Amino acid sequence: MRNSALTAFVLVAIVIFSMDFSYASGRRSRTKDRNLKVGARVSLYNPPGTSITTMLFEVTAKYRVSDRFAAEFSAGWTQYNEEGRTTTLIPLQINGEFHPFGKGVFDPFVGGGVGAYLKKWGDEQSATVGVQALGGFEFRPTTGFSMSLSVKYILSDITDPRSGGFSFGGGVQGNWETSF
């Protein structure tokens, strides 16, 4: 199960990062509009089946393929108590984002994606494939730096509808930005 989940995750990553949505509008994006940003995010995460909210720490890499579309990879870590056992969750997610107003100082977005979720509790561990939906906005006061606020619904196992949980948080992006 673990190998098939990771294989599917890698294949989806290759497809998303090789897409160029700028051709759909009949023009090629300007080089300066296509960039890679690296950043960090902290969210409040409500794990499924518990009433405890915990912190979810993530590092992100976002590739803006055009004014309106972006692809993001994130790797996270959280730890919480589930049924008296310490549980560690490591989500690896790939998301596509639609920015309806293009690039601006205030930039709302919606999107979704797939993820591999590595979970360890006690002596047991599992790897599952899940999906997520997200929405939020970015605030870009200057070029090369942005702050974001987002809400995510995470279904960490597509075979178990009870595995869903919300995260709400924000972060800073722009530690490194380059044009392609």
Side-chain angles (χ1 to χ4, degrees):
M1 173 68 178
R2 184 182 308 181
N3 288 339
S4 63
L6 291 177
T7 302
F9 182 74
V10 168
L11 289 174
V12 169
I14 291 168
V15 169
I16 287 177
F17 282 106
S18 64
M19 290 180 175
D20 185 354
F21 295 105
S22 62
Y23 287 110
S25 65
R27 67 171 177 80
R28 178 89 171 150
S29 289
R30 296 180 307 273
T31 303
K32 68 179 186 172
D33 292 337
R34 300 167 54 118
N35 55 47
L36 178 69
K37 290 193 270 184
V38 177
R41 179 172 44 228
V42 177
S43 302
L44 294 175
Y45 175 60
N46 187 6
T50 67
S51 60
I52 298 171
T53 300
T54 185
M55 303 292 272
L56 173 62
F57 302 94
E58 296 176 284
V59 292
T60 63
K62 184 182 285 193
Y63 180 60
R64 192 77 180 238
V65 295
S66 72
D67 284 348
R68 299 208 188 310
F69 293 98
E72 178 187 65
F73 172 77
S74 67
W77 177 90
T78 188
Q79 203 168 52
Y80 54 93
N81 194 349
E82 182 179 18
E83 298 175 6
R85 298 183 293 184
T86 299
T87 301
T88 302
L89 178 67
I90 299 173
L92 304 170
Q93 302 172 333
I94 296 177
N95 296 308
E97 295 178 357
F98 174 66
H99 298 253
F101 303 123
K103 288 186 170 184
V105 175
F106 291 100
D107 186 13
F109 62 88
V110 294
V114 298
Y117 296 88
L118 311 173
K119 186 176 179 181
K120 181 177 182 184
W121 63 104
D123 293 336
E124 301 176 45
Q125 53 189 354
S126 68
T128 58
V129 175
V131 294
Q132 59 273 346
L134 59 112
F137 73 91
E138 285 186 29
F139 172 64
R140 273 191 295 279
T142 65
T143 302
F145 172 79
S146 68
M147 295 175 283
S148 65
L149 189 62
S150 64
V151 175
K152 239 188 239 187
Y153 179 74
I154 301 168
L155 186 62
S156 62
D157 185 353
I158 58 174
T159 63
D160 183 7
R162 296 171 296 152
S163 69
F166 280 95
S167 78
F168 175 77
V172 176
Q173 294 179 326
N175 299 343
W176 178 69
E177 183 172 333
T178 185
S179 295
F180 287 98

